[in-house]
Amino acid sequence: KNILGEWGGRPRVNLPPAELVDVITDLGAVIGPAHAFTPFRAIFRQNKYATLEQCYQDAVKKVKFLELGLSANTDLADKLDSLKNISFLSNSDAHSESPRSLGREFNKIKMEDPSFDELVLALERKNQRKIELNVGLNPKLGKYYNMFCNKCRRRVMFGKSEKTGNTLFNEYTISEEFIKIVSENPLNARKEYINNVSKGKIVCPACKEKINKNIKIKLGVSERIDVISTSDEPIHPNHRPPYINAV
Ligand SMILES: [Zn+2]
Ligand SMILES: [Zn+2]
């Protein structure tokens, strides 16, 4: 929201990503995806792209950075092979009217002086310029870390059940903030559930029960990364700086 209490502030550009990158770089500016994993409008969101190349195609080499967003960190993002050559930023996403988000996340950058040219060199890791440190929230504190219902905003968790043989996700408890699905093997159940959420097959049991509406569950950042990751553990390239969880 803006200071007048209206929704706004997000410019929209109707261009294919590669063309937008060309226009921006032709003008001498730099561009990269921000809060890259969040479920709304981000490059790697559910049903969108799985790699940088898919999105930017021929222009991918001109994309200088990726901004991680509140719900992701280096350990999560480095599970994607397509990100090994790109510099990560951890920026405060302060485009609301409240000043409390300023400086919530930040980067330590090695440069000669605080200029645009030096910043570009740092993003490109040239002439010893570089991002030296990323500082951000622990991703688990991000709003969209786990699967959630788009309407009631309850998050989906998994727990262990005493009963055996339940694979239908029909044993659960609903609280103010959570839908807790219990099963004999919560890890396997979660995997199967993520698979079904990816295909748009799971409706929110709370909304079904309380307002009799079929609202689809959406993948959170952690589950979306599980789906598109190329390795189970992070593989950090040599240039990757440390990431500090600020909280
Ligand atoms: Zn934003
Ligand atoms: Zn719901």
Side-chain angles (χ1 to χ4, degrees), residues 136-199:
L137 287 190
N138 186 318
K140 290 183 178 167
L141 298 173
K143 256 194 291 193
Y144 304 119
Y145 187 75
N146 287 117
M147 287 177 277
F148 62 100
C149 166
N150 209 1
K151 176 129 185 105
C152 68
R153 291 297 165 113
R154 283 183 178 83
R155 282 173 283 171
V156 181
M157 313 297 267
F158 289 82
K160 194 156 170 53
S161 150
E162 301 307 312
K163 287 190 222 158
T164 55
N166 183 358
T167 52
L168 293 169
F169 313 123
N170 58 2
E171 204 187 316
Y172 53 81
T173 53
I174 295 170
S175 64
E176 210 45 47
E177 283 184 67
F178 298 104
I179 298 154
K180 188 173 174 192
I181 297 170
V182 290
S183 95
E184 191 190 352
N185 185 333
L187 266 176
N188 280 351
R190 180 175 171 272
K191 257 190 202 153
E192 182 62 25
Y193 194 87
I194 289 172
N195 202 355
N196 281 287
V197 170
S198 295
K199 293 176 185 153

Side-chain angles (χ1 to χ4, degrees), residues 24 26 60 72 92 104 118 120 130 145 164 176 186 190 235:
I24 297 282
D26 284 352
V60 70
S92 288
R104 177 169 58 174
E118 285 284 323
V120 175
K130 58 183 177 181
Y145 187 75
T164 55
E176 210 45 47
R190 180 175 171 272
I235 301 172

Side-chain angles (χ1 to χ4, degrees), residues 19-243:
E19 233 174 276
L20 178 63
V21 170
D22 284 340
V23 171
I24 297 282
T25 48
D26 284 352
L27 290 167
V30 287
I31 186 170
H35 34 74
F37 301 95
T38 52
F40 305 100
R41 300 175 215 286
I43 176 173
F44 294 134
R45 72 182 182 271
Q46 193 175 338
N47 300 325
K48 211 64 190 175
Y49 306 106
T51 65
L52 284 178
E53 288 81 5
Q54 272 178 17
C55 177
Y56 298 110
Q57 304 182 6
D58 288 350
V60 70
K61 287 207 166 65
K62 300 185 196 169
V63 179
K64 303 283 188 210
F65 64 87
L66 175 139
E67 197 284 315
L68 293 165
L70 289 182
S71 302
N73 62 10
T74 302
D75 279 345
L76 289 167
D78 273 337
K79 290 181 181 179
L80 276 71
D81 185 64
S82 81
L83 304 184
K84 62 174 183 250
N85 291 322
I86 201 159
S87 295
F88 292 161
L89 290 175
S90 43
N91 292 355
S92 288
D93 190 27
H95 52 65
S96 63
E97 78 280 20
S98 162
R100 77 188 159 170
S101 339
L102 289 173
R104 177 169 58 174
E105 305 204 292
F106 59 92
N107 313 278
K108 186 179 173 197
I109 305 177
K110 189 180 178 200
M111 45 189 179
E112 205 53 40
D113 54 76
S115 66
F116 179 76
D117 291 342
E118 285 284 323
L119 178 63
V120 175
L121 284 176
L123 293 173
E124 293 174 334
R125 306 187 298 276
K126 283 183 180 158
N127 305 358
Q128 280 93 53
R129 287 17 168 209
K130 58 183 177 181
I131 314 292
E132 281 190 316
L133 177 70
N134 295 113
V135 180
L137 287 190
N138 186 318
K140 290 183 178 167
L141 298 173
K143 256 194 291 193
Y144 304 119
Y145 187 75
N146 287 117
M147 287 177 277
F148 62 100
C149 166
N150 209 1
K151 176 129 185 105
C152 68
R153 291 297 165 113
R154 283 183 178 83
R155 282 173 283 171
V156 181
M157 313 297 267
F158 289 82
K160 194 156 170 53
S161 150
E162 301 307 312
K163 287 190 222 158
T164 55
N166 183 358
T167 52
L168 293 169
F169 313 123
N170 58 2
E171 204 187 316
Y172 53 81
T173 53
I174 295 170
S175 64
E176 210 45 47
E177 283 184 67
F178 298 104
I179 298 154
K180 188 173 174 192
I181 297 170
V182 290
S183 95
E184 191 190 352
N185 185 333
L187 266 176
N188 280 351
R190 180 175 171 272
K191 257 190 202 153
E192 182 62 25
Y193 194 87
I194 289 172
N195 202 355
N196 281 287
V197 170
S198 295
K199 293 176 185 153
K201 281 192 191 164
I202 302 268
V203 298
C204 170
C207 286
K208 185 80 201 166
E209 215 168 86
K210 294 182 198 298
I211 54 171
N212 196 24
K213 282 215 165 103
N214 291 324
I215 310 289
K216 294 222 169 97
I217 298 289
K218 264 179 180 273
L219 292 183
V221 170
S222 60
E223 295 94 12
R224 179 61 182 156
I225 289 176
D226 279 351
V227 171
I228 62 174
S229 61
T230 47
S231 60
D232 289 336
E233 297 299 321
I235 301 172
H236 300 297
N238 286 332
H239 67 81
R240 190 72 70 219
Y243 182 103

